Amino acid sequence: MKISTLIPLALNAGAITVAAAAAAMMERPIREADRATLEHIRNPHVVRPYTPHLYAKDLSQAAMGQKDSTSSDNEPKRFEKTAPLAEICKQSTHAVENAAQLSQLQAQCTEVTGSIVISEYIDPVVDLGKLQSIKGDLLVRDSPSVIHIQAPRLTNVGGTFELNSLTSLNSVHTPVLRDFNTINWRVVPILTDVELDPNAKTAKRVIISDTSLVGFEGFSNVEELEVLNINNNRFMEYIKTNVKRVTQQLSISANAKELELDMPSLEWADNITVRDTSSASMPKLKNVKHSLEFIENMFHSLELPALESVGGTLGVIENVNLKKVDFTNVTYINGGLMIANNTQIEKIDFFPELQQIGGAIQFTGKFKDTSFPKLKLVKGSALIISNSDSLDCAKWTTPTSGSSIIRGGKITCTSGKKQNSVSVNEDGTVIGRDVSDLTGGFHAKESSASSGMMDTTKLSKVGWSLAFAWATGLFCLVVMQ
């Protein structure tokens, strides 16, 4: 999996080989390494050219003066007999506060059956060295001194890999970590470099919030996630994953305004919220079990040609640049339909196959027309408000068949300065109308029992006339007596 740095750099393979880089690294005086590390700490957003393994080795030696844990002398021998786990490796929780405690643990364990909790850690580097497997969680939290985490041999975390409230953390080096249940990274505001195994295959939940990463890409071997939530990463410019199903939550929000979301294989999701993106691509998405919402994005087009049904609300809200919309194959929305304040949309006509809406509809904006050629039933009410005088409200308030497709009690349609309201019963029969001029000059009502519509401005004049005549007659009667 690739999680990009703030300033991505590429090495020229023709100019330097890994072997040459390693040789140069070994020959460099420790003093120079110290200077380089200090420079990296002072400028956490500056990324030096490096080969990832060499970079991790260099930083570990500079910050801790420890022997390189990635040395080939420490590599496990093939066919070597596995020693039984020491009792310390079987503890349910290992609380670690400094490098000495961590070094003692890894000196005795290549595998721990419980969890490792690193909290209020006082050293700059967390080095898991020889550890290959953690059956429980790996939690690193509340440690403002930590600038680098490395686990060169760690392949498995059975539970959660958590980074939380690590305000100085700049880089994470876990090059062979491919099996984990959850990534939960929050409040790591200068994290710019991350290396994970590109063949990660068992992830279930990914939450990344408040980092300085510019990209997220990977999970080519993961077909299903429970949660993918990436938010508040102010430099995040792209997210690309081949996940096919997200069974609980897919939420992308409050990242860089330039963020491009690309999910070419996504077919099914329980719930989707996409905010603050410049493009969103989900060409194979067929079904959403609950809500599907696109809010305050900057994209010009939104196309979901394979989408067939939405089990909850479908919302397209305040996407100010949006002009082209394609929901060609949507036939059923079980919740409401909300198309609101997309100022560039002039016609709501992108649901040609939609037949039924299980909730209410709300359309607001500058649109001039609506078209739903196959819509037969709306179980909720309808609120339609357009600033355009061109909108024909009669499509909604005066059903040609005599029975309205709206069955939710009320239809309110505003076109420019004129508002039409219609009350309907459960079978779609119109039982009352109310027409108003929003400038205050005209107001008329009609009920199903009346034979026509009366202008209430005239009604008030008639009322005054009758009242005056009654008062005059009463006065004359008193005088005659």
Side-chain angles (χ1 to χ4, degrees), residues 137-152:
D137 301 324
L138 173 58
L139 311 177
V140 188
R141 54 173 64 147
D142 302 319
S143 301
S145 297
V146 173
I147 63 170
H148 178 65
I149 296 173
Q150 65 181 40

Side-chain angles (χ1 to χ4, degrees), residues 50-70:
Y50 68 99
T51 300
H53 293 280
L54 298 179
Y55 173 75
K57 178 178 73 174
D58 176 42
L59 185 55
S60 175
Q61 289 174 330
M64 297 182 62
Q66 293 182 346
K67 184 177 178 180
D68 175 25
S69 62
T70 65

Side-chain angles (χ1 to χ4, degrees), residues 391-433:
L391 179 66
D392 182 9
C393 283
K395 286 185 177 182
W396 298 94
T397 60
T398 309
T400 55
S401 64
S403 179
S404 174
I405 63 172
I406 308 296
R407 305 295 170 85
K410 190 171 184 180
I411 307 166
T412 300
C413 181
T414 301
S415 174
K417 300 298 183 181
K418 187 177 180 180
Q419 184 179 85
N420 292 265
S421 296
V422 175
S423 298
V424 295
N425 61 19
E426 293 182 355
D427 65 3
T429 301
V430 175
I431 57 176
R433 295 181 183 276

Side-chain angles (χ1 to χ4, degrees), residues 31 34 47 78 80 82 156 202 205 218 240 258-259 278 295 329 352 366 385 413 426 428 450:
R31 186 170 53 189
D34 291 339
V47 180
R78 196 177 181 186
E80 184 179 274
T82 304
N156 164 261
T202 61
R205 303 169 68 89
K240 182 175 182 179
E258 300 81 12
L259 185 135
S278 65
I295 304 171
N329 288 306
K366 298 180 179 180
I385 302 174
C413 181
E426 293 182 355
S450 66

Side-chain angles (χ1 to χ4, degrees), residues 263-460:
M263 304 188 73
S265 301
L266 184 67
E267 298 177 356
W268 188 96
D270 183 88
N271 183 70
I272 299 177
T273 301
V274 177
R275 304 180 72 122
D276 310 304
T277 70
S278 65
S279 68
S281 177
M282 303 175 186
K284 294 185 178 180
L285 181 64
K286 291 183 179 180
N287 302 102
V288 178
K289 184 177 180 181
H290 291 114
S291 296
L292 172 62
E293 296 178 322
F294 297 91
I295 304 171
E296 296 180 345
N297 295 281
M298 300 303 292
F299 45 56
H300 292 78
S301 65
L302 175 60
E303 300 180 56
L304 286 85
L307 186 65
E308 297 175 355
S309 66
V310 177
T313 296
L314 171 54
V316 182
I317 304 164
E318 295 189 14
N319 304 285
V320 295
N321 296 324
L322 183 60
K323 293 183 178 180
K324 182 179 181 181
V325 185
D326 181 5
F327 290 102
T328 301
N329 288 306
V330 174
T331 59
Y332 178 76
I333 298 173
N334 192 43
L337 174 60
M338 187 174 183
I339 311 295
N341 300 326
N342 305 284
T343 54
Q344 301 297 318
I345 293 179
E346 295 190 351
K347 188 174 183 180
I348 301 176
D349 61 349
F350 31 82
F351 291 94
E353 299 296 324
L354 183 60
Q355 299 176 25
Q356 182 172 318
I357 298 173
I361 60 175
Q362 180 177 335
F363 305 149
T364 61
K366 298 180 179 180
F367 53 92
K368 298 177 181 179
D369 195 11
T370 60
S371 177
F372 293 83
K374 295 188 178 181
L375 186 60
K376 304 299 182 185
L377 176 63
V378 178
K379 294 184 178 180
S381 60
L383 175 63
I384 303 165
I385 302 174
S386 175
N387 295 330
S388 173
D389 292 323
S390 302
L391 179 66
D392 182 9
C393 283
K395 286 185 177 182
W396 298 94
T397 60
T398 309
T400 55
S401 64
S403 179
S404 174
I405 63 172
I406 308 296
R407 305 295 170 85
K410 190 171 184 180
I411 307 166
T412 300
C413 181
T414 301
S415 174
K417 300 298 183 181
K418 187 177 180 180
Q419 184 179 85
N420 292 265
S421 296
V422 175
S423 298
V424 295
N425 61 19
E426 293 182 355
D427 65 3
T429 301
V430 175
I431 57 176
R433 295 181 183 276
D434 189 346
V435 181
S436 302
D437 184 341
L438 298 181
T439 61
F442 178 79
H443 185 207
K445 289 185 177 180
E446 177 188 7
S447 68
S448 59
S450 66
S451 59
M453 185 172 289
M454 179 173 288
D455 184 344
T456 55
T457 59
K458 295 180 180 179
L459 180 63
S460 60

Side-chain angles (χ1 to χ4, degrees), residues 177-195:
L177 180 58
R178 65 180 67 93
D179 295 320
F180 48 86
N181 183 288
T182 299
I183 280 181
N184 187 357
W185 298 346
R186 303 173 188 261
V187 195
V188 278
I190 64 170
L191 178 63
T192 57
D193 302 329
V194 174
E195 186 183 11

Side-chain angles (χ1 to χ4, degrees), residues 82 85 89 105-106 108-112 130-134:
T82 304
L85 287 177
C89 308
L105 176 62
Q106 61 169 295
Q108 300 180 65
C109 306
T110 58
E111 175 186 321
V112 295
K130 297 178 181 179
L131 275 171
Q132 299 174 23
S133 176
I134 300 171

